[in-house]
Amino acid sequence: DESMVTVLPVLGAKAKSELSFFERQECALDTRAQCVVAREHRVRIEKMANAVKGKDVGPRTLEEFRTALIHRYGNLVQAWRIALDPDDNGRVSFQEFTAACRGMHYSGNIKKLWAELDKDRSGLITMSEFAPAAQAAMSRFRALLIERFGNPLKAWLQAFRDDGHARVREDEFVKKVADLGW
């Protein structure tokens, strides 16, 4: 009906026949209601995101990241093996590293953290870059085992697995390491 006039704040007064498809869509009650609901939804999401940012307590620095890893895994060697280098190839790519950072809820700049760790700029992080003191201790221990037994496997079989079991309890391991003079 040409006599029906739709009044919109943006469009002014026009006969329905003069409205374009999109203008008619804007006039529809459902569309306007959907726009209101969508606007309210965006505001709620934004408020929730701001609340989460305010509560963001994940590690933000290299030291905090290492501390969080120790808290979760017990020490940096375990963290390296479980979280950072799960494929056990001795190197961590940027992709593996970002996955580990997300898993630890790292809230700092991941690229900056990577740059701090990849000291030789090789594009890979090694244990000696990630935890140099732990790597040095493991290297010295390995050298002791090689000196005394020829290789780590022989050391395991002769010094640690002397009762024939495949596993050694932690307290037994600590005692046997002390017996070796470590």
Side-chain angles (χ1 to χ4, degrees):
D1 182 5
E2 293 291 326
S3 61
M4 290 186 66
V5 174
T6 304
V7 178
L8 290 174
V10 177
L11 303 174
K14 285 187 178 180
K16 255 194 168 177
S17 62
E18 296 174 350
L19 296 175
S20 71
F21 171 78
F22 293 110
E23 290 171 331
R24 286 192 307 276
Q25 291 300 312
E26 287 179 13
C27 294
L29 182 59
D30 286 347
T31 304
R32 284 186 287 180
Q34 287 173 353
C35 288
V36 169
V37 169
R39 194 173 309 113
E40 289 171 355
H41 185 69
R42 282 192 302 272
V43 168
R44 278 194 312 274
I45 288 173
E46 189 174 305
K47 283 181 183 177
M48 288 185 331
N50 288 336
V52 168
K53 280 182 186 176
K55 293 179 182 177
D56 198 359
V57 293
R60 296 180 153 278
T61 65
L62 176 56
E63 204 52 44
E64 291 174 1
F65 184 63
R66 284 183 173 138
T67 300
L69 287 167
I70 290 168
H71 180 73
R72 180 176 290 178
Y73 297 102
N75 60 60
L76 291 177
V77 175
Q78 282 293 97
W80 174 265
R81 292 197 171 148
I82 296 169
L84 295 165
D85 188 24
D87 60 359
D88 197 28
N89 66 359
R91 319 179 279 285
V92 175
S93 68
F94 185 71
Q95 183 178 5
E96 290 172 315
F97 184 71
T98 56
C101 287
R102 287 188 185 107
M104 291 300 297
H105 306 287
Y106 185 76
S107 57
N109 183 325
I110 294 176
K111 286 183 180 180
K112 182 180 174 189
L113 182 64
W114 172 264
E116 285 183 68
L117 288 168
D118 186 19
K119 292 180 179 24
D120 64 1
R121 304 293 180 247
S122 65
L124 298 168
I125 295 173
T126 62
M127 180 66 166
S128 61
E129 291 172 305
F130 174 68
Q135 178 61 40
M138 289 189 322
S139 294
R140 287 191 310 271
F141 184 65
R142 179 180 169 79
L144 173 71
L145 296 178
I146 291 171
E147 177 186 314
R148 295 259 178 96
F149 300 96
N151 65 52
L153 178 60
K154 286 182 183 176
W156 172 253
L157 295 172
Q158 293 173 19
F160 297 100
R161 216 185 92 173
D162 53 4
D163 62 0
H165 291 92
R167 294 178 184 231
V168 175
R169 290 191 328 262
E170 182 179 359
D171 61 325
E172 291 173 344
F173 180 79
V174 169
K175 182 187 179 315
K176 291 177 188 227
V177 166
D179 291 346
L180 288 172
W182 183 254

